[in-house]
Amino acid sequence: MSVLVGALEDDVSILINEIGRASNQSLLWGPYRPNLYFGTRPRVPNSLLTGLMWSKVESVEDFQHNLRHTCEQHQGMVGYGWDDYDVRKGGRQTIHDEGNNIDIQTEFIKVEGGQHGGNWGVRIRGIPRESAPMDLKTTVFFYAALEGLGSVEVENEASTLGYDDTVTLKGITPDLGEFVVDITKGPESNSHPVHSHPSYEDKPLDRTIVHSLSEEAGGMWQAKGLLFVAMKKEVDRYIEKYTVENAPPPCQLFTIVNKAGGGNLHLIQKVFEGSFEFDVLYSSGSVPVRLDSNALTKGIKSTVKSFSDRFSRVFSRQRPFDQPKYEVFARSLFSNLIGGIGYFYGDSVVDRSYAPEYEEESEGFWEDAAEARDRHSEKLEGPFELFSSIPSRPFFPRGFLWDEGFHLLPVVDWDIDLTLEIVKSWFNLMDDDGWIAREQILGPEARSKVPVEFRVQYPHYANPPTLFFVIDAFIDKLELSNGTQREKSPESLEGEQRTFDLYTSHSDYPEVALQYLRNLYPLLKRHYFWFRKTQWGDIKSYDRDAFSSKEAYRWRGRTPTHLLTSGLDDYPRPPTPHPGELHVDLISWMGMMTKVIKRIATTLGEADDAEEFSVYETAIVRNIDDLHWDKDAKTYCDATIDDYEEHAHVCHKGYISIFPFLVGLVAADSPRLGPVLDLIADPEELWSDYGLRSLSKKDELYGTGENYWCSPIWINLNYLALRRLLEYATNKFCPHQKRAKKLYTALRSNMVNTVYNSWEETGFAWEQYNPETGAGQRTQHFTGWTSLIVKVMTMPDLESGAKGGHDEL
């Protein structure tokens, strides 16, 4: 996607502003309501929302139980999601709704132009499944709702019988200007139920039904409930008029009243028999040409082709995953990752009481902290806005801080500028101290999906700083490109015209990239030093022997059974929490964070800062060994204080034990690397034919309790392990190069085939995978960090023909 830029002045800020404006226009509209099967909104608060609902209407029970709107787990789906999707252009989604005997397809495109994000359209298709009756009856609702200032109303003349042609909504808002939304009749091939009940004469089903409502602006996300309320009145009227025994057939009974006009919520209903198709066409008043169905048809074809061509270039799969069967799989995973990007706006529940119990400095601190939480000092803060991808549309349709860094690693390969826009959105949530809430539950819609006990955010709770991975990857790309447009600097372009690529402008133009980093750098520093201030671990009070008396870290938020802030929830820690605990995963995260921020400081020419961070980095790496390496167990361990007030290791071999390795803090010539590889490669410890287990098979807690992080395979940390193995496998000075190569080859094969086989069988990517069978489990449609498999398939094949079994190790 290229945008023409007029004559540029010498000031770099002109270039930056032009790129920013064009990118914002490109990203303004989208299906940014990922918790719905389909719904659009712009990236502005309190604006126009749209959504889609449908159900079969063969019986009374059908509609009551089968009306689809929000994505839900185990709702009779045999797979759903984007087949091809680009945030800037659109794509195609297929929803295999076995429960309703129909496959729904939504083909969404965006068309550039004007001043308000251009036009967009979606073609909505229904294709009965093989098991469906020939005359399958389906009712479909499209709605448009306005949350804030402005107006939207039905432009058609009022009709009690409904509309036999296009229904047009006309509106205006401060952010969108004037616009129209056309809901077409669809092709002549559409068929509608016909029956002999007298109710048909008053409301023939071959017409579109429109019902306009005036509702509270903050409740539009409850459109399904509002529909039920409106429909109940019509159902009650039918029953009163005709009695239960002589009620209209379900396809007629479950219709809304024709009542089109003004209001801020417009429900548009169509009832079909068999397959169907219709278009929704949004046209901005600032675009000279109104979008029509012919343009939508051409746009769909070009969008799908454009995605396919670009995907093959960006994600070039390497052997053995260059086989055709992996093509659809890879495109689906990635499309659903970026198809889960949403715009979220609302208030957040935060406890800023700063109760002394939250310092967690006394023995039994978790009980004191629980009492402090029970005082319910939380308050609403905000509103805030966030542009972010999500882990799972049905179960986790909101932003998670540590997930997002993993989500963006494939995205940065596809669209650098989109990635940086999301990173900026996250850091804009930071408070004055440097804290970012680990879970962004913004507004009542988001809170409706979260149990009450998990809604409150606490400003002393951290979460792994994975966004630093993304900044590091960005600098890699910047250095690799070395400024592809450097030969045409702003100073040399006076009086000329040029184009820039919205996917890569920040890597094409170093001056743009450096300004982005300069703007972000103060926030990164503030976040970094917030970690050092709030998550410090105690060395001095217990006379611990370490290179540095300062570099030790402890997650806050610990209970005897969980450490949610670490991201590894129920992974075993010392059995009794202690204020003298030290967590090896957290000091590892701090080491990674320090390396990256040092690199940023160096890139920006902040020599004094870089030197300071270098001192921290050295001390952290030394202290990881001094405080966390257990010579007897030959592994890294958490530490606590024993009954004799002495430093003691608590070793539960698993992901925690290899964390310094995972984040790149174990040198190729380190004496620790051999034992780490031993642990990874042992089938009685972490190795399985499906990926690395989260906890050693020998551990007494393996597979016990909640068993969330106590055995299952997680793709995000397997990906980090694979990345490190590749580094050692390609380092000729590494004493373990040959072994790392074999491990890398086998693990890569195991990871891809585990996710692929489960996807092929179930239609879904999953949150985690069973270490004994490889089956996907827990949350379905988990296309967040599980989509890292797309990157895994592009990683080099170091040993053609190698098998994934343990014999190769």
Side-chain angles (χ1 to χ4, degrees):
M1 177 180 294
S2 295
V3 178
L4 189 64
V5 182
L8 293 175
E9 301 176 4
D10 290 344
D11 191 348
V12 171
S13 65
I14 298 294
L15 174 61
I16 293 171
N17 290 337
E18 283 296 310
I19 290 173
R21 182 199 62 78
S23 187
N24 286 337
Q25 287 293 303
S26 170
L27 297 172
L28 178 64
W29 275 103
Y32 294 147
R33 306 182 68 197
N35 60 312
L36 306 187
Y37 289 111
F38 183 80
T40 66
R41 66 166 301 155
R43 285 201 310 151
V44 292
N46 301 323
S47 191
L48 182 67
L49 306 177
T50 74
L52 181 69
M53 295 181 267
W54 72 91
S55 173
K56 66 179 178 181
V57 278
E58 300 290 327
S59 69
V60 171
E61 291 76 17
D62 285 342
F63 186 81
Q64 292 174 332
H65 301 295
N66 283 15
L67 183 65
R68 312 300 194 212
H69 183 225
T70 57
C71 300
E72 304 292 343
Q73 291 214 100
H74 313 299
Q75 198 180 49
M77 300 292 175
V78 289
Y80 63 89
W82 294 95
D83 306 309
D84 307 281
Y85 180 71
D86 182 346
V87 178
R88 297 190 188 273
K89 295 185 177 182
R92 175 180 292 149
Q93 178 184 216
T94 305
I95 303 161
H96 302 285
D97 188 353
E98 187 175 53
N100 276 313
N101 275 325
I102 198 162
D103 290 342
I104 299 291
Q105 193 171 75
T106 60
E107 296 172 305
F108 172 81
I109 68 159
K110 298 196 282 187
V111 182
E112 297 174 341
Q115 303 301 313
H116 302 99
N119 299 338
W120 61 263
V122 58
R123 178 157 293 158
I124 299 165
R125 285 194 175 110
I127 304 102
R129 296 177 63 82
E130 289 185 4
S131 59
M134 292 292 292
D135 60 347
L136 175 70
K137 298 171 183 62
T138 305
T139 188
V140 182
F141 300 86
F142 181 84
Y143 66 87
L146 187 60
E147 288 187 308
L149 297 175
S151 64
V152 61
E153 59 186 20
V154 180
E155 190 176 54
N156 307 62
E157 292 184 7
S159 171
T160 57
L161 293 179
Y163 302 91
D164 60 2
D165 206 344
T166 296
V167 172
T168 298
L169 305 178
K170 183 177 182 180
I172 183 172
T173 76
D175 294 301
L176 302 177
E178 295 182 350
F179 61 86
V180 294
V181 182
D182 294 318
I183 299 93
T184 70
K185 180 180 180 179
E188 292 299 321
S189 58
N190 283 346
S191 180
H192 309 273
V194 177
H195 57 84
S196 59
H197 194 279
S199 59
Y200 188 90
E201 299 301 320
D202 297 330
K203 195 193 298 180
L205 299 183
D206 61 350
R207 297 192 172 209
T208 300
I209 307 167
V210 182
H211 189 75
S212 301
L213 298 165
S214 294
E215 299 290 343
E216 292 187 14
M220 297 302 180
W221 62 275
Q222 297 174 301
K224 181 177 178 179
L226 296 172
L227 168 65
F228 275 133
V229 171
M231 184 169 287
K232 185 177 186 303
K233 296 177 182 179
E234 183 72 338
V235 171
D236 289 346
R237 185 183 71 84
Y238 275 140
I239 297 301
E240 182 179 357
K241 183 174 182 178
Y242 297 109
T243 73
V244 173
E245 291 75 14
N246 194 34
C251 60
Q252 184 82 43
L253 180 65
F254 293 109
T255 55
I256 49 180
V257 177
N258 268 307
K259 184 185 174 185
N264 59 0
L265 173 61
H266 302 278
L267 301 167
I268 296 99
Q269 182 178 15
K270 294 173 179 286
V271 186
F272 298 104
E273 187 171 281
S275 61
F276 61 84
E277 175 186 311
F278 66 97
D279 299 337
V280 178
L281 308 166
Y282 172 96
S283 298
S284 170
S286 64
V287 179
V289 180
R290 189 161 167 172
L291 185 63
D292 61 24
S293 291
N294 289 331
L296 178 60
T297 299
K298 294 177 182 177
I300 291 168
K301 290 180 180 178
S302 66
T303 296
V304 171
K305 185 179 187 305
S306 170
F307 176 85
S308 178
D309 292 345
R310 189 162 188 272
F311 186 85
S312 296
R313 293 195 308 272
V314 174
F315 297 108
S316 177
R317 302 186 319 282
Q318 301 302 301
R319 296 176 62 181
F321 306 114
D322 53 351
Q323 300 172 40
K325 72 175 185 176
Y326 294 106
E327 173 70 19
V328 173
F329 168 62
R331 285 165 54 172
S332 173
L333 280 187
F334 181 74
S335 295
N336 282 290
L337 171 63
I338 59 173
I341 291 174
Y343 174 82
F344 308 94
Y345 180 82
D347 47 22
S348 180
V349 183
V350 181
D351 180 350
R352 287 194 185 272
S353 62
Y354 298 104
E357 294 92 335
Y358 292 157
E359 295 295 326
E360 301 187 7
E361 292 182 352
S362 62
E363 295 190 22
F365 64 79
W366 68 94
E367 296 171 335
D368 298 336
E371 291 179 4
R373 289 194 296 271
D374 287 343
R375 293 198 287 268
H376 295 292
S377 301
E378 64 269 13
K379 296 179 181 178
L380 290 176
E381 292 189 358
F384 305 102
E385 61 180 340
L386 176 64
F387 187 48
S388 176
S389 52
I390 60 172
S392 168
R393 289 170 64 184
F395 203 70
F396 298 114
R398 53 192 177 276
F400 285 78
L401 181 56
W402 96 290
D403 293 63
E404 192 62 10
F406 289 108
H407 296 167
L408 293 179
L409 289 176
V411 180
V412 75
D413 292 337
W414 175 263
D415 190 331
I416 294 172
D417 290 28
L418 168 65
T419 301
L420 297 180
E421 186 72 13
I422 291 173
V423 169
K424 181 173 68 176
S425 181
W426 271 95
F427 279 99
N428 283 342
L429 293 169
M430 186 185 298
D431 70 6
D432 292 340
D433 295 324
W435 171 71
I436 303 174
R438 67 187 186 89
E439 191 171 347
Q440 295 297 321
I441 310 169
L442 304 182
E445 182 175 13
R447 286 194 285 276
S448 71
K449 299 283 284 189
V450 183
V452 174
E453 62 269 26
F454 296 120
R455 293 178 185 175
V456 182
Q457 303 298 300
Y458 299 90
H460 60 293
Y461 283 0
N463 214 209
T466 57
L467 289 175
F468 280 71
F469 281 146
V470 183
I471 302 297
D472 200 40
F474 168 51
I475 297 177
D476 284 342
K477 293 185 179 297
L478 181 61
E479 292 179 352
L480 185 64
S481 70
N482 197 27
T484 58
Q485 304 297 326
R486 186 184 295 278
E487 70 278 7
K488 287 193 175 185
S489 64
E491 291 81 0
S492 70
L493 284 162
E494 190 170 358
E496 296 186 26
Q497 289 183 328
R498 69 172 157 185
T499 60
F500 54 76
D501 190 331
L502 288 181
Y503 295 94
T504 59
S505 63
H506 279 77
S507 60
D508 292 343
Y509 294 95
E511 62 271 27
V512 177
L514 291 175
Q515 189 57 52
Y516 177 91
L517 288 174
R518 287 190 189 99
N519 293 341
L520 192 65
Y521 184 57
L523 298 177
L524 296 172
K525 284 181 65 176
R526 191 194 308 170
H527 193 46
Y528 176 79
F529 284 107
W530 175 85
F531 264 91
R532 293 181 65 85
K533 179 181 178 181
T534 63
Q535 309 300 302
W536 62 278
D538 196 343
I539 295 177
K540 296 179 180 179
S541 297
Y542 302 102
D543 197 26
R544 283 167 155 144
D545 185 16
F547 172 81
S548 167
S549 62
K550 297 180 179 178
E551 298 302 332
Y553 295 91
R554 173 170 65 96
W555 295 108
R556 302 310 192 263
R558 172 101 149 85
T559 71
T561 57
H562 286 82
L563 188 43
L564 300 179
T565 51
S566 73
L568 306 183
D569 297 20
D570 67 333
Y571 189 99
R573 304 284 182 163
T576 303
H578 193 284
E581 261 181 45
L582 302 177
H583 298 130
V584 66
D585 53 330
L586 180 51
I587 193 173
S588 301
W589 285 122
M590 290 304 300
M592 179 279 290
M593 202 180 188
T594 305
K595 283 180 66 175
V596 175
I597 201 167
K598 180 186 74 172
R599 187 183 186 193
I600 297 167
T602 301
T603 301
L604 294 176
E606 299 288 345
D608 291 344
D609 283 2
E611 185 176 349
E612 179 184 359
F613 294 131
S614 183
V615 172
Y616 295 153
E617 180 186 0
T618 299
I620 287 172
V621 172
R622 291 286 298 272
N623 273 21
I624 287 175
D625 274 1
D626 290 348
L627 296 171
H628 294 285
W629 181 258
D630 190 288
K631 295 179 181 179
D632 296 328
K634 293 183 180 180
T635 194
Y636 292 105
C637 306
D638 283 341
T640 189
I641 301 300
D642 64 18
D643 294 339
Y644 303 99
E645 293 295 299
E646 297 287 338
H647 177 83
H649 289 138
V650 177
C651 300
H652 290 281
K653 292 181 179 180
Y655 289 163
I656 291 292
S657 314
I658 61 173
F659 238 89
F661 161 85
L662 294 177
V663 298
L665 300 180
V666 178
D669 60 354
S670 169
R672 315 298 187 215
L673 181 56
V676 167
L677 297 182
D678 289 342
L679 178 60
I680 288 173
D682 189 343
E684 294 303 313
E685 301 272 19
L686 303 191
W687 189 267
S688 83
D689 290 337
Y690 310 103
L692 301 182
R693 299 180 176 95
S694 46
L695 189 64
S696 168
K697 197 172 182 179
K698 291 181 177 179
D699 195 282
E700 62 182 1
L701 297 178
Y702 179 79
T704 62
E706 186 181 338
N707 194 23
Y708 199 41
W709 289 85
C710 289
S711 75
I713 294 161
W714 293 81
I715 296 302
N716 60 330
L717 297 190
N718 271 259
Y719 170 75
L720 292 185
L722 191 70
R723 249 178 38 166
R724 299 309 161 209
L725 289 170
L726 177 60
E727 289 177 8
Y728 300 125
T730 53
N731 182 348
K732 63 181 181 181
F733 299 108
C734 177
H736 305 280
Q737 182 186 18
K738 185 176 180 180
R739 189 179 192 203
K741 178 180 177 181
K742 289 184 176 180
L743 281 167
Y744 164 83
T745 299
L747 181 59
R748 178 171 174 259
S749 176
N750 290 348
M751 288 173 63
V752 173
N753 287 320
T754 294
V755 178
Y756 172 79
N757 290 338
S758 189
W759 176 82
E760 180 74 7
E761 180 182 349
T762 67
F764 293 105
W766 293 83
E767 182 180 15
Q768 55 180 223
Y769 294 86
N770 188 292
E772 311 305 326
T773 66
Q777 57 189 34
R778 295 278 182 165
T779 303
Q780 66 177 201
H781 207 288
F782 197 90
T783 49
W785 61 42
T786 298
S787 299
L788 284 164
I789 289 297
V790 175
K791 280 186 71 71
V792 173
M793 286 189 283
T794 68
M795 293 170 77
D797 172 31
L798 299 184
E799 194 172 56
S800 298
K803 298 179 181 179
H806 184 260
D807 290 344
E808 296 295 323
L809 307 183

